[in-house]
Amino acid sequence: MMNVMFAIMMIIMYMSSHGGSMKVSKVKMAENRALILNAAARLFRERGFDGVTVSEVMSAAGLTHGAFYGHFESKEDLIACALETAVHDMAAHTADSIGAYASDYLSKEHRDAAAGCAYATLGSEVARSTPEARGVLTDGLKKLIATLEEKAPGRSAEARRQKAVTAWATMVGALLLSRVVDDEALSSEILERAKQDLAG
Amino acid sequence: MMNVMFAIMMIIMYMSSHGGSMKVSKVKMAENRALILNAAARLFRERGFDGVTVSEVMSAAGLTHGAFYGHFESKEDLIACALETAVHDMAAHTADSIGAYASDYLSKEHRDAAAGCAYATLGSEVARSTPEARGVLTDGLKKLIATLEEKAPGRSAEARRQKAVTAWATMVGALLLSRVVDDEALSSEILERAKQDLAG
DNA sequence: TGTACATCAGTGAACGCGCGTTCACTGATGTAC
DNA sequence: TGTACATCAGTGAACGCGCGTTCACTGATGTAC
């Protein structure tokens, strides 16, 4: 009895986990693509585009590097798609006000997170990158600014937009500087002062 | 007569330009180190650390790659030293007020310059880099903030420091975003709004 | 000041490694009957 | 529903290239006499 159950368990484990060198269903392939994109979005933000190899991304997704070109045209293509994933994740974050948004964005947790805001972790690299990559962050930025505009105080639309754009620049700059700085006191001070500047 | 003058000119040109495979005086070697550092400081800001090879830096300095390891221990060592050069150059820039400083810093000329501010062009890479590289930008940042504090308006030292830190974060963030964005109108808008925020 | 020689900055070929990318192969998927 | 077969997602070895780095060599520098 125990032997039979054990054998069934082994078969189930084999069927559900063993990729082997086999084809995979369309549903599973779409899942794999999502796994690759999530791994890439995290690893690129953690180590930069040149600090992560295609093989590392595929391993993190539980696949081998050879399958990569069935999903993407090139590493550059992956970069653009992974940025879309990262930007999409950011858009999911909501807050009641700019001050509340800044309080989360400028927290030590966010600063120390492996996969922080793409603009602060990859911005200077994307600025030198392909039109596709820049386009993704441009579109994402437009949406982020629009979201902040709604939350911004101010009588006129003009005043709210002014506040949204400068608040976002302050947040990205402060987070970037706090990550560069090799001095915990100064790093925290930068976050706190920016938070104070954007509060209420 | 013409032939004699021509020969003398050729000799002078040969003596002053031809490095050949020869040793070089201590003075000339120090000049060469400065040429390497200036080339590296410019090229790294233009293309990122991984976008520039040791050979390219040496060529830009008018030398061959083999001479590199007589000047620096490794590419990482060059990166730290080149950042010092870049930060030192920034410290040379002066302005009467934060508004005046921001007006220069947030100009289209600075945005489009090949060798822009190291914090905006290399910040996200340095954040993941060696303690040496981070230390250089940390020290440079402390000096930049101190300089801005002197120019900042405000009754108390606390208020001036608050203004200096947040103004610098806004400037770096706005320049970074304006360089990422692939849309001239939005890019200019970011610069202009940040300038307005920091004016007067 | 002139001569002999050790030093060492710069040269350019070479090395080894790891990267992005390719490809022959495998075997489950999914379709046609 | 069952069977036969074409498709194609994933595997893993292999390729070629360019990078950082090393090294034997060259010959001007700079010093000792």
Side-chain angles (χ1 to χ4, degrees):
Chain A
M1 190 57 180
M2 288 297 280
N3 285 343
V4 173
M5 285 180 65
F6 185 73
I8 292 172
M9 276 176 63
M10 291 306 290
I11 291 168
I12 292 172
M13 286 171 68
Y14 178 89
M15 286 171 66
S16 62
S17 73
H18 185 72
S21 60
M22 49 180 136
K23 191 180 171 182
V24 125
S25 72
K26 284 186 177 181
V27 172
K28 181 64 187 163
M29 193 193 176
E31 285 175 21
N32 285 345
R33 186 187 163 94
L35 286 172
I36 297 169
L37 284 173
N38 286 330
R42 179 174 53 81
L43 289 170
F44 283 148
R45 279 180 285 177
E46 208 170 320
R47 306 189 215 149
F49 301 132
D50 292 322
V52 180
T53 68
V54 166
S55 291
E56 284 174 325
V57 171
M58 294 303 282
S59 291
L63 297 167
T64 56
H65 67 274
F68 178 77
Y69 294 89
H71 288 279
F72 301 95
E73 277 189 14
S74 62
K75 189 181 182 184
E76 275 193 359
D77 183 22
L78 172 66
I79 287 173
C81 294
L83 283 173
E84 254 170 19
T85 299
V87 167
H88 186 262
D89 289 352
M90 284 185 72
H93 185 91
T94 54
D96 291 340
S97 66
I98 285 190
Y101 191 96
S103 184
D104 290 346
Y105 189 94
L106 297 168
S107 66
K108 289 189 192 180
E109 289 72 32
H110 186 200
R111 178 196 65 189
D112 300 333
C117 166
Y119 295 88
T121 58
L122 296 168
S124 54
E125 289 173 70
V126 173
R128 291 184 289 266
S129 191
T130 62
E132 285 73 24
R134 297 179 70 197
V136 170
L137 288 204
T138 302
D139 291 347
L141 183 59
K142 286 176 181 174
K143 283 171 191 156
L144 283 163
I145 290 174
T147 306
L148 286 180
E149 266 183 273
E150 292 169 16
K151 303 186 209 309
R155 284 135 280 162
S156 65
E158 160 65 21
R160 286 194 295 277
R161 185 164 178 87
Q162 168 71 17
K163 182 68 184 168
V165 171
T166 57
W168 185 243
T170 304
M171 282 191 264
V172 171
L175 184 63
L176 177 68
L177 292 173
S178 79
R179 292 176 74 111
V180 167
V181 160
D182 201 11
D183 174 326
E184 170 58 24
L186 179 58
S187 177
S188 298
E189 185 192 351
I190 293 166
L191 294 177
E192 289 306 317
R193 291 200 184 276
K195 240 184 273 187
Q196 191 182 317
D197 192 56
L198 300 171
Chain B
M1 190 58 182
M2 290 296 282
N3 285 343
V4 173
M5 285 181 65
F6 184 72
I8 291 172
M9 277 176 64
M10 291 306 290
I11 291 168
I12 291 172
M13 286 171 68
Y14 178 89
M15 287 171 65
S16 61
S17 73
H18 185 73
S21 61
M22 47 180 141
K23 192 180 171 182
V24 125
S25 72
K26 285 186 176 182
V27 172
K28 181 63 188 164
M29 193 193 176
E31 285 174 19
N32 284 346
R33 185 186 164 94
L35 286 172
I36 296 168
L37 284 173
N38 286 329
R42 179 174 54 81
L43 288 170
F44 284 148
R45 280 181 285 177
E46 208 169 320
R47 304 189 215 150
F49 300 133
D50 292 322
V52 181
T53 68
V54 167
S55 291
E56 284 175 326
V57 171
M58 294 303 281
S59 290
L63 297 167
T64 56
H65 66 273
F68 178 76
Y69 293 89
H71 288 278
F72 302 95
E73 278 189 12
S74 61
K75 189 182 181 183
E76 275 193 358
D77 182 23
L78 172 67
I79 286 172
C81 295
L83 282 173
E84 255 170 18
T85 300
V87 166
H88 186 262
D89 289 351
M90 284 185 71
H93 186 92
T94 55
D96 292 339
S97 66
I98 285 190
Y101 191 96
S103 184
D104 289 346
Y105 189 95
L106 297 168
S107 66
K108 290 189 192 181
E109 289 71 33
H110 186 201
R111 178 195 66 189
D112 299 334
C117 167
Y119 296 87
T121 58
L122 296 168
S124 53
E125 289 173 69
V126 172
R128 292 185 288 265
S129 190
T130 62
E132 286 73 24
R134 297 179 69 197
V136 170
L137 288 204
T138 302
D139 292 347
L141 183 59
K142 286 176 181 174
K143 282 170 193 157
L144 282 164
I145 291 173
T147 306
L148 285 181
E149 268 184 271
E150 293 169 16
K151 302 187 209 310
R155 286 134 280 166
S156 65
E158 161 64 21
R160 285 194 296 276
R161 186 164 177 85
Q162 168 72 18
K163 182 67 185 168
V165 171
T166 56
W168 185 243
T170 304
M171 280 190 268
V172 171
L175 185 62
L176 177 68
L177 292 174
S178 79
R179 292 176 73 108
V180 166
V181 161
D182 200 12
D183 173 328
E184 169 59 23
L186 180 57
S187 177
S188 299
E189 184 193 351
I190 293 165
L191 294 177
E192 290 305 316
R193 291 199 183 277
K195 238 184 276 185
Q196 190 182 317
D197 192 56
L198 300 171

